[in-house]
Amino acid sequence: MATGLLQGLLLRASRRLLAAAGGAGRGALCLQQQQRRDKKLWLRAYLEQQRLRAPATRRSEKPNWDYHAEIQAFSHRLHETFSLDLLKTAFVNSCYIKSEETRRQELGLNKEAVALNLQDNHKLSEQGVSFSRSYLTQCFEDAYPKIPSEGIRALVDFLASQELVSYVARNLSIQDLTLCAEFPVPPSVLQQTFFAVIGALFESSGPQKTGTFIRDFLIPQLIGKDLFEIWDVINPMGLLVEELAKRNISAPEPRLTRQSGASTVLPLYFVGLYCDKKLIAEGPGETVLAAEEEAARVALRKLYGYTENRQPWDYSQPREGWRAEKAISST
C-alpha cells in the first residue's frame, strides 16, 4: 500500500514538472514570435525610410520599360487619338538632344553617328501655347462678358502659368515620358512639354478635341479660386467707380455699418457701400480702409458675375465647337 502511494506521488510530481516545462517553452516561443514580428515591423519601416531618402530615378531606368508601349498607353489613358510620331516628338526637348550628342562626342564617335535624327518639340509647344491662350480667352469672354480685358488676361495667365501647368503635367505622368537632360524634370520643361502635347493633339484630332482637352484639364483649376486672388487690383474702389460710371450709376458712398472689439488688438469693422440709398455690398476688415476695399471687391464680383454661388461651367458640346473655331480664327 505504501509502495502504491509513493508511486502516485511520484507520478503527480512528474506531471507538474512536465506542465511547468511546457508552459515555459510556450512562453519562450511566444516571446520569440513577438520579437520576430517586431523585427519585421522595424525592418519594414526602415526600408520604407530608405526608399524615400533614395534619389529619384527615371522610370526608363527601371525594369519592364517599353517606350513605344508607354506612348500608346498615354494616349489611351487620356481617351484621345494622337499621331504616335507627333506624340513622340512632343516629348523630345532640345536639352535632351544636346546632352545626348555631347555624350556621344565624349565616347569618340564620328560626326555621322553623333547627330541624332530627332526633332524637338519647340514648334508644337508654340502652337499649343497659341491655341490654348486663344481658346481660354474666348471661353472666359463668353462665360464672363462683364469682366474687362485685364481680368480675362489675368485668368488666362494664371491657367497658362508655369506652376499650374507643371502641376497638371505631373498628375498626367508626363514627366515619365519626357526626354530631358535633367531629372527630376524642371517645371519649365514640363510646361513646354505639356503645351507640345496640346499641339500634337491639335494636329492629330483637330481643334474641337483639343478645346475639350483644355477645358477638362485646365479650366477646373479655377475651382475654389477667388477672382482677386488671380487678378491683383491695386485700387478696387477706383475700379468700382469706373465700372459704375460706365453703367450710369452714381459713385458709391461707404458707411460703417458694424464694428466689434474696436479697442482690442483684434478689431473688426464692416463697411457698406450705398448707391442711391441702396446697399450694394458689404465687406469686413481689420481697419476701416481694409473693410472698404473688401466691400469694393464684393461689389465688383457681383458686377462681373464671378461670385461664389455663380452658375457652374457650361460643358455643352455645340458651344465648345464654336469656341474652338473662333480660337482658330483669332490665331
Side-chain angles (χ1 to χ4, degrees):
M1 181 176 179
T3 305
L5 181 60
L6 183 59
Q7 290 178 353
L9 293 174
L10 291 174
L11 182 61
R12 291 178 184 177
S14 61
R15 287 178 179 176
R16 290 175 181 173
L17 290 174
L18 290 175
R26 286 194 298 271
L29 181 60
C30 293
L31 181 60
Q32 186 178 5
Q33 291 178 352
Q34 182 68 26
Q35 290 177 351
R36 289 179 180 176
R37 189 179 297 114
D38 293 341
K39 183 178 179 180
K40 289 180 180 178
L41 292 176
W42 169 82
L43 183 61
R44 185 184 305 170
Y46 173 76
L47 294 177
E48 180 67 17
Q49 187 178 15
Q50 292 298 111
R51 186 186 68 82
L52 294 175
R53 289 182 177 180
T57 56
R58 301 174 188 268
R59 178 62 183 88
S60 57
E61 297 176 358
K62 299 178 182 179
N64 302 323
W65 173 259
D66 187 346
Y67 188 73
H68 181 74
E70 293 292 338
I71 290 290
Q72 288 182 325
F74 177 80
S75 61
H76 286 294
R77 282 200 308 270
L78 299 181
H79 299 283
E80 300 290 351
T81 303
F82 288 93
S83 169
L84 291 182
D85 293 334
L86 285 174
L87 188 57
K88 288 181 178 179
T89 303
F91 289 113
V92 179
N93 290 275
S94 58
C95 60
Y96 171 78
I97 297 177
K98 293 178 182 178
S99 65
E100 192 67 20
E101 289 178 350
T102 304
R103 187 179 67 85
R104 293 189 178 191
Q105 287 177 357
E106 292 176 353
L107 293 175
L109 300 179
N110 53 24
K111 294 184 178 180
E112 296 180 356
V114 165
L116 289 177
N117 189 18
L118 290 176
Q119 183 181 0
D120 62 13
N121 58 5
H122 181 69
K123 292 183 179 180
L124 288 176
S125 179
E126 287 184 345
Q127 187 174 10
V129 170
S130 176
F131 179 80
S132 298
R133 297 187 67 90
S134 300
Y135 179 81
L136 290 173
T137 302
Q138 297 299 330
C139 285
F140 293 137
E141 288 179 351
D142 184 36
Y144 307 109
K146 297 180 180 179
I147 297 181
S149 58
E150 294 83 2
I152 298 294
R153 193 181 308 113
L155 292 174
V156 174
D157 291 341
F158 171 74
L159 292 181
S161 62
Q162 178 177 303
E163 181 181 359
L164 189 141
V165 172
S166 60
Y167 168 78
V168 175
R170 280 192 296 268
N171 281 274
L172 294 178
S173 298
I174 289 180
Q175 75 277 6
D176 292 333
L177 300 174
T178 301
L179 298 179
C180 177
E182 302 178 27
F183 191 84
V185 183
S188 58
V189 177
L190 275 178
Q191 182 188 25
Q192 180 176 349
T193 306
F194 180 81
F195 284 122
V197 170
I198 292 179
L201 181 61
F202 180 81
E203 292 289 338
S204 303
S205 301
Q208 187 169 354
K209 287 284 188 180
T210 309
T212 304
F213 179 86
I214 296 171
R215 181 201 67 185
D216 292 344
F217 288 104
L218 289 184
I219 293 181
Q221 305 303 318
L222 291 175
I223 296 175
K225 299 292 183 180
D226 182 67
L227 175 62
F228 296 105
E229 292 179 2
I230 301 171
W231 180 21
D232 186 16
V233 178
I234 300 176
N235 185 12
M237 181 59 73
L239 180 60
L240 177 61
V241 171
E242 293 178 3
E243 293 293 335
L244 293 177
K246 293 178 183 177
R247 295 164 174 80
N248 296 323
I249 302 175
S250 60
E253 180 183 353
R255 295 180 184 176
L256 183 64
T257 57
R258 289 174 289 168
Q259 65 179 359
S260 176
S263 60
T264 64
V265 296
L266 294 175
L268 180 62
Y269 301 94
F270 283 85
V271 172
L273 298 180
Y274 290 84
C275 288
D276 299 329
K277 298 181 181 180
K278 293 181 180 180
L279 180 66
I280 61 172
E282 187 180 25
E286 295 181 354
T287 62
V288 177
L289 181 59
E292 182 180 337
E293 291 183 352
E294 183 60 29
R297 294 188 185 95
V298 172
L300 288 172
R301 292 188 195 101
K302 292 180 179 180
L303 288 177
Y304 296 151
Y306 202 94
T307 56
E308 293 181 356
N309 58 344
R310 62 185 180 273
Q311 185 179 0
W313 192 265
D314 184 13
Y315 285 92
S316 57
Q317 292 296 331
R319 297 182 67 84
E320 292 296 328
W322 176 80
R323 288 170 184 162
E325 294 176 0
K326 196 171 181 181
I328 294 175
S329 62
S330 64
T331 56

Coordinates of all heavy atoms in Angstrom, one line a residue, residues 176-239:
D176 N 7.3 61.2 -66.8 CA 7.9 59.8 -67.0 C 8.3 59.6 -68.5 O 9.1 58.8 -68.8 CB 7.0 58.8 -66.5 CG 6.8 58.7 -65.0 OD1 7.7 59.2 -64.4 OD2 5.7 58.3 -64.5
L177 N 7.6 60.3 -69.4 CA 7.8 60.1 -70.8 C 8.6 61.2 -71.4 O 9.1 61.1 -72.6 CB 6.4 60.1 -71.5 CG 5.5 59.0 -71.1 CD1 4.1 59.1 -71.8 CD2 6.1 57.6 -71.4
T178 N 8.9 62.3 -70.7 CA 9.6 63.4 -71.2 C 11.1 63.1 -71.4 O 11.7 62.6 -70.4 CB 9.5 64.7 -70.3 OG1 8.1 65.0 -70.2 CG2 10.2 65.8 -70.8
L179 N 11.6 63.4 -72.5 CA 13.1 63.2 -72.8 C 13.8 64.5 -72.5 O 13.7 65.4 -73.2 CB 13.3 62.7 -74.2 CG 12.7 61.4 -74.6 CD1 13.0 61.1 -76.1 CD2 13.2 60.3 -73.8
C180 N 14.5 64.5 -71.3 CA 15.1 65.7 -70.8 C 16.5 65.4 -70.3 O 16.7 64.3 -69.8 CB 14.2 66.4 -69.8 SG 14.9 67.8 -69.0
A181 N 17.4 66.4 -70.3 CA 18.7 66.1 -69.8 C 18.7 66.0 -68.3 O 19.6 65.3 -67.7 CB 19.6 67.3 -70.3
E182 N 17.8 66.7 -67.6 CA 17.8 66.7 -66.1 C 16.7 65.8 -65.6 O 15.7 65.6 -66.3 CB 17.6 68.1 -65.6 CG 18.7 69.1 -66.1 CD 18.4 70.5 -65.6 OE1 17.7 70.6 -64.5 OE2 18.8 71.5 -66.3
F183 N 16.9 65.3 -64.4 CA 15.8 64.6 -63.7 C 16.0 64.8 -62.2 O 17.1 64.7 -61.7 CB 15.9 63.1 -64.0 CG 14.7 62.3 -63.5 CD1 13.6 62.3 -64.3 CD2 14.7 61.7 -62.3 CE1 12.5 61.6 -63.9 CE2 13.6 61.0 -61.9 CZ 12.5 60.9 -62.7
P184 N 14.9 65.2 -61.5 CA 13.5 65.4 -62.0 C 13.4 66.5 -63.0 O 14.2 67.4 -63.0 CB 12.8 65.7 -60.7 CG 13.6 65.2 -59.6 CD 15.0 65.4 -60.1
V185 N 12.4 66.4 -63.9 CA 12.2 67.3 -65.0 C 11.9 68.7 -64.4 O 11.0 68.8 -63.6 CB 11.1 66.8 -65.9 CG1 11.0 67.7 -67.1 CG2 11.4 65.4 -66.4
P186 N 12.6 69.7 -64.8 CA 12.3 71.1 -64.3 C 10.9 71.5 -64.7 O 10.3 71.1 -65.7 CB 13.3 72.0 -65.0 CG 14.4 71.0 -65.4 CD 13.7 69.7 -65.7
P187 N 10.3 72.4 -63.9 CA 8.9 72.9 -64.3 C 8.8 73.6 -65.6 O 7.8 73.4 -66.3 CB 8.6 73.9 -63.1 CG 9.4 73.4 -62.0 CD 10.7 72.9 -62.6
S188 N 9.8 74.3 -66.0 CA 9.8 75.0 -67.3 C 9.7 73.9 -68.5 O 9.0 74.1 -69.5 CB 11.0 75.8 -67.5 OG 12.2 75.1 -67.4
V189 N 10.5 72.8 -68.4 CA 10.4 71.8 -69.4 C 9.1 71.1 -69.4 O 8.5 70.7 -70.4 CB 11.6 70.8 -69.2 CG1 11.5 69.7 -70.2 CG2 12.9 71.5 -69.3
L190 N 8.5 70.9 -68.2 CA 7.2 70.2 -68.1 C 6.1 71.1 -68.7 O 5.2 70.6 -69.4 CB 6.8 70.0 -66.6 CG 7.3 68.7 -66.0 CD1 6.9 68.7 -64.5 CD2 6.8 67.5 -66.7
Q191 N 6.2 72.4 -68.5 CA 5.3 73.3 -69.2 C 5.4 73.3 -70.7 O 4.4 73.2 -71.4 CB 5.5 74.8 -68.7 CG 4.6 75.8 -69.2 CD 5.0 77.2 -68.9 OE1 6.2 77.5 -68.6 NE2 4.1 78.1 -68.8
Q192 N 6.6 73.3 -71.2 CA 6.8 73.3 -72.7 C 6.3 71.9 -73.2 O 5.7 71.9 -74.3 CB 8.3 73.5 -73.0 CG 8.6 73.4 -74.5 CD 10.0 73.7 -74.8 OE1 10.8 74.2 -73.9 NE2 10.4 73.5 -76.0
T193 N 6.6 70.8 -72.5 CA 6.1 69.5 -73.0 C 4.6 69.4 -73.0 O 4.0 68.8 -73.9 CB 6.8 68.4 -72.1 OG1 8.2 68.6 -72.1 CG2 6.4 67.1 -72.7
F194 N 4.0 70.0 -71.9 CA 2.5 69.9 -71.9 C 1.9 70.6 -73.1 O 0.9 70.1 -73.7 CB 2.0 70.5 -70.6 CG 0.5 70.5 -70.4 CD1 -0.1 69.3 -70.0 CD2 -0.2 71.6 -70.6 CE1 -1.5 69.3 -69.8 CE2 -1.6 71.6 -70.5 CZ -2.2 70.4 -70.1
F195 N 2.4 71.8 -73.4 CA 1.8 72.6 -74.5 C 2.2 71.9 -75.8 O 1.4 72.0 -76.8 CB 2.3 74.0 -74.5 CG 1.6 74.9 -73.5 CD1 2.4 75.5 -72.5 CD2 0.3 75.0 -73.5 CE1 1.7 76.3 -71.5 CE2 -0.4 75.8 -72.5 CZ 0.3 76.5 -71.6
A196 N 3.3 71.2 -75.9 CA 3.6 70.4 -77.1 C 2.7 69.3 -77.3 O 2.3 68.9 -78.4 CB 5.1 69.9 -77.0
V197 N 2.2 68.6 -76.2 CA 1.2 67.6 -76.3 C -0.1 68.2 -76.8 O -0.8 67.5 -77.6 CB 1.0 66.9 -74.9 CG1 -0.2 66.0 -74.9 CG2 2.3 66.1 -74.5
I198 N -0.4 69.4 -76.3 CA -1.6 70.0 -76.9 C -1.5 70.3 -78.4 O -2.4 70.1 -79.1 CB -1.9 71.3 -76.1 CG1 -2.3 71.0 -74.6 CG2 -3.0 72.2 -76.7 CD1 -2.6 72.2 -73.8
G199 N -0.3 70.8 -78.8 CA 0.0 71.0 -80.2 C -0.1 69.7 -81.0 O -0.7 69.7 -82.1
A200 N 0.4 68.6 -80.5 CA 0.3 67.3 -81.1 C -1.2 66.9 -81.2 O -1.6 66.3 -82.3 CB 1.1 66.3 -80.4
L201 N -2.0 67.1 -80.2 CA -3.4 66.8 -80.3 C -4.1 67.6 -81.3 O -5.0 67.1 -82.0 CB -4.0 66.9 -78.9 CG -5.5 66.6 -78.7 CD1 -5.8 65.1 -79.1 CD2 -6.0 66.9 -77.3
F202 N -3.7 68.9 -81.4 CA -4.4 69.8 -82.4 C -4.1 69.3 -83.8 O -5.0 69.3 -84.6 CB -3.8 71.2 -82.2 CG -4.4 72.2 -83.1 CD1 -5.6 72.8 -82.9 CD2 -3.7 72.6 -84.2 CE1 -6.2 73.7 -83.8 CE2 -4.2 73.5 -85.1 CZ -5.4 74.1 -84.9
E203 N -2.9 68.9 -84.0 CA -2.5 68.4 -85.4 C -3.1 67.0 -85.6 O -3.4 66.7 -86.8 CB -1.0 68.3 -85.5 CG -0.3 69.6 -85.5 CD -0.5 70.3 -86.8 OE1 -0.9 69.7 -87.8 OE2 -0.3 71.6 -86.8
S204 N -3.4 66.2 -84.6 CA -3.9 64.9 -84.8 C -5.4 64.8 -84.9 O -6.0 64.1 -85.7 CB -3.4 63.9 -83.7 OG -2.0 64.0 -83.6
S205 N -6.1 65.5 -83.9 CA -7.5 65.3 -83.8 C -8.4 66.6 -84.1 O -9.6 66.5 -84.1 CB -7.9 64.9 -82.4 OG -7.3 63.6 -82.1
G206 N -7.7 67.7 -84.3 CA -8.5 68.9 -84.7 C -8.7 69.8 -83.5 O -8.5 69.5 -82.4
P207 N -9.3 71.0 -83.8 CA -9.5 72.0 -82.7 C -10.5 71.6 -81.7 O -10.4 72.0 -80.5 CB -9.9 73.2 -83.5 CG -10.5 72.7 -84.8 CD -9.7 71.5 -85.1
Q208 N -11.6 70.9 -82.1 CA -12.7 70.7 -81.1 C -12.2 69.7 -80.0 O -12.5 70.0 -78.8 CB -13.9 70.1 -81.9 CG -15.1 69.9 -81.0 CD -16.4 69.6 -81.7 OE1 -16.3 69.6 -83.0 NE2 -17.5 69.3 -81.0
K209 N -11.5 68.7 -80.4 CA -11.0 67.7 -79.4 C -10.0 68.4 -78.5 O -9.9 68.2 -77.3 CB -10.4 66.5 -80.1 CG -11.4 65.5 -80.7 CD -12.0 64.7 -79.6 CE -12.9 63.6 -80.2 NZ -13.5 62.8 -79.1
T210 N -9.1 69.3 -79.1 CA -8.1 70.0 -78.3 C -8.8 70.9 -77.4 O -8.3 71.1 -76.2 CB -7.2 70.7 -79.3 OG1 -6.7 69.8 -80.3 CG2 -6.0 71.3 -78.5
G211 N -9.8 71.6 -77.8 CA -10.5 72.5 -76.9 C -11.2 71.8 -75.7 O -11.1 72.3 -74.6
T212 N -11.7 70.6 -76.0 CA -12.3 69.8 -74.9 C -11.2 69.4 -73.9 O -11.4 69.3 -72.7 CB -13.0 68.6 -75.5 OG1 -14.0 69.0 -76.5 CG2 -13.7 67.8 -74.4
F213 N -10.0 69.0 -74.4 CA -8.9 68.6 -73.6 C -8.5 69.8 -72.7 O -8.3 69.6 -71.5 CB -7.7 68.2 -74.5 CG -6.5 67.8 -73.7 CD1 -6.4 66.5 -73.2 CD2 -5.5 68.7 -73.4 CE1 -5.2 66.1 -72.5 CE2 -4.4 68.3 -72.7 CZ -4.2 67.0 -72.3
I214 N -8.4 71.0 -73.2 CA -8.1 72.2 -72.4 C -9.1 72.5 -71.4 O -8.9 72.8 -70.2 CB -7.8 73.4 -73.3 CG1 -6.6 73.1 -74.2 CG2 -7.6 74.7 -72.5 CD1 -6.5 74.2 -75.3
R215 N -10.4 72.3 -71.8 CA -11.5 72.6 -70.9 C -11.5 71.6 -69.7 O -11.8 72.0 -68.6 CB -12.8 72.5 -71.6 CG -14.1 72.7 -70.8 CD -15.3 72.1 -71.5 NE -15.2 70.7 -71.5 CZ -16.1 69.9 -72.1 NH1 -17.1 70.4 -72.8 NH2 -15.9 68.6 -72.1
D216 N -11.2 70.3 -70.0 CA -11.3 69.3 -69.0 C -10.1 69.4 -68.0 O -10.3 69.0 -66.8 CB -11.3 67.9 -69.6 CG -12.6 67.7 -70.4 OD1 -13.6 68.5 -70.1 OD2 -12.7 66.8 -71.2
F217 N -8.9 69.8 -68.4 CA -7.7 69.7 -67.6 C -7.3 71.1 -67.0 O -6.6 71.1 -66.0 CB -6.6 69.0 -68.3 CG -6.8 67.6 -68.5 CD1 -7.2 67.1 -69.7 CD2 -6.7 66.7 -67.4 CE1 -7.4 65.7 -69.9 CE2 -6.9 65.3 -67.6 CZ -7.2 64.8 -68.8
L218 N -7.6 72.2 -67.7 CA -7.1 73.5 -67.2 C -8.1 74.3 -66.5 O -7.9 74.8 -65.4 CB -6.5 74.3 -68.4 CG -5.2 73.8 -69.0 CD1 -4.6 74.7 -70.1 CD2 -4.1 73.6 -67.9
I219 N -9.3 74.4 -67.1 CA -10.4 75.3 -66.5 C -10.8 74.8 -65.2 O -11.1 75.6 -64.3 CB -11.6 75.4 -67.5 CG1 -11.1 76.1 -68.8 CG2 -12.7 76.1 -66.9 CD1 -12.2 76.3 -69.8
P220 N -10.9 73.5 -64.8 CA -11.2 73.1 -63.5 C -10.3 73.5 -62.4 O -10.6 73.5 -61.2 CB -11.2 71.5 -63.6 CG -11.6 71.2 -65.0 CD -10.9 72.3 -65.7
Q221 N -9.1 74.0 -62.8 CA -8.1 74.5 -61.8 C -8.6 75.8 -61.1 O -8.0 76.3 -60.2 CB -6.7 74.7 -62.4 CG -6.2 73.5 -63.1 CD -6.1 72.3 -62.1 OE1 -5.7 72.4 -61.0 NE2 -6.5 71.1 -62.6
L222 N -9.7 76.4 -61.7 CA -10.2 77.6 -61.1 C -11.2 77.4 -60.0 O -11.6 78.3 -59.3 CB -11.0 78.4 -62.2 CG -10.1 79.1 -63.3 CD1 -11.0 79.7 -64.4 CD2 -9.2 80.1 -62.7
I223 N -11.5 76.1 -59.8 CA -12.5 75.8 -58.7 C -11.8 76.2 -57.3 O -10.7 75.8 -57.0 CB -12.8 74.3 -58.7 CG1 -13.5 73.9 -60.0 CG2 -13.6 73.9 -57.5 CD1 -13.8 72.4 -60.2
G224 N -12.6 76.9 -56.6 CA -12.1 77.3 -55.3 C -11.2 78.6 -55.3 O -10.7 79.0 -54.2
K225 N -11.0 79.1 -56.5 CA -10.1 80.3 -56.6 C -11.0 81.6 -56.7 O -12.0 81.6 -57.4 CB -9.3 80.2 -57.8 CG -8.3 79.0 -57.9 CD -7.3 79.2 -56.8 CE -6.3 78.0 -56.9 NZ -5.2 78.1 -55.9
D226 N -10.6 82.6 -55.9 CA -11.3 83.9 -56.0 C -10.7 84.7 -57.1 O -9.5 84.6 -57.5 CB -11.1 84.6 -54.6 CG -11.8 85.9 -54.6 OD1 -13.1 85.9 -54.7 OD2 -11.2 87.0 -54.6
L227 N -11.6 85.5 -57.7 CA -11.1 86.4 -58.8 C -10.0 87.3 -58.5 O -9.0 87.4 -59.3 CB -12.3 87.2 -59.3 CG -12.0 88.2 -60.5 CD1 -11.6 87.5 -61.7 CD2 -13.3 89.0 -60.8
F228 N -10.0 87.9 -57.3 CA -9.0 88.8 -56.9 C -7.8 88.2 -56.3 O -6.8 88.9 -55.9 CB -9.6 89.9 -56.0 CG -10.6 90.7 -56.7 CD1 -12.0 90.5 -56.4 CD2 -10.3 91.6 -57.7 CE1 -12.9 91.3 -57.1 CE2 -11.2 92.4 -58.3 CZ -12.6 92.2 -58.1
E229 N -7.8 86.8 -56.1 CA -6.5 86.1 -55.8 C -5.7 85.9 -57.1 O -4.5 85.8 -57.0 CB -6.9 84.7 -55.2 CG -7.5 84.8 -53.9 CD -7.8 83.4 -53.3 OE1 -7.5 82.4 -54.1 OE2 -8.4 83.3 -52.3
I230 N -6.4 85.9 -58.2 CA -5.7 85.7 -59.5 C -5.4 87.1 -60.1 O -4.3 87.3 -60.7 CB -6.6 84.9 -60.4 CG1 -6.9 83.5 -59.8 CG2 -6.0 84.7 -61.8 CD1 -7.9 82.7 -60.5
W231 N -6.4 88.0 -60.1 CA -6.2 89.3 -60.7 C -5.9 90.3 -59.6 O -6.8 90.6 -58.7 CB -7.5 89.7 -61.4 CG -7.5 91.0 -62.1 CD1 -6.5 91.8 -62.4 CD2 -8.7 91.8 -62.4 NE1 -6.9 92.9 -63.0 CE2 -8.2 93.0 -63.0 CE3 -10.1 91.6 -62.3 CZ2 -9.1 93.9 -63.5 CZ3 -10.9 92.5 -62.8 CH2 -10.5 93.7 -63.4
D232 N -4.7 90.8 -59.5 CA -4.3 91.8 -58.5 C -4.7 93.2 -58.9 O -4.1 93.8 -59.7 CB -2.8 91.7 -58.3 CG -2.3 92.5 -57.1 OD1 -3.1 92.8 -56.3 OD2 -1.1 92.7 -57.1
V233 N -5.8 93.7 -58.2 CA -6.3 95.0 -58.4 C -5.8 95.9 -57.3 O -6.1 95.7 -56.1 CB -7.8 95.0 -58.5 CG1 -8.3 96.5 -58.6 CG2 -8.3 94.2 -59.6
I234 N -5.0 96.9 -57.6 CA -4.4 97.8 -56.6 C -5.4 98.7 -55.9 O -5.4 98.9 -54.7 CB -3.2 98.6 -57.2 CG1 -2.1 97.6 -57.8 CG2 -2.6 99.5 -56.2 CD1 -1.0 98.3 -58.5
N235 N -6.3 99.2 -56.7 CA -7.3 100.2 -56.2 C -8.7 99.7 -56.6 O -9.3 100.1 -57.6 CB -7.0 101.6 -56.8 CG -7.9 102.6 -56.3 OD1 -8.6 102.4 -55.2 ND2 -8.0 103.8 -56.9
P236 N -9.2 98.8 -55.8 CA -10.6 98.3 -56.1 C -11.7 99.3 -56.1 O -12.6 99.3 -56.9 CB -10.8 97.2 -55.1 CG -9.9 97.5 -54.0 CD -8.7 98.2 -54.6
M237 N -11.6 100.3 -55.2 CA -12.6 101.3 -55.1 C -12.6 102.2 -56.4 O -13.6 102.5 -56.9 CB -12.4 102.2 -53.9 CG -13.4 103.3 -53.7 SD -15.1 102.7 -53.6 CE -15.1 102.0 -52.0
G238 N -11.4 102.5 -56.9 CA -11.3 103.3 -58.1 C -11.9 102.5 -59.3 O -12.6 103.1 -60.2
L239 N -11.6 101.2 -59.4 CA -12.1 100.4 -60.5 C -13.7 100.3 -60.3 O -14.4 100.3 -61.4 CB -11.5 99.0 -60.4 CG -12.0 98.0 -61.4 CD1 -11.7 98.5 -62.8 CD2 -11.3 96.6 -61.2

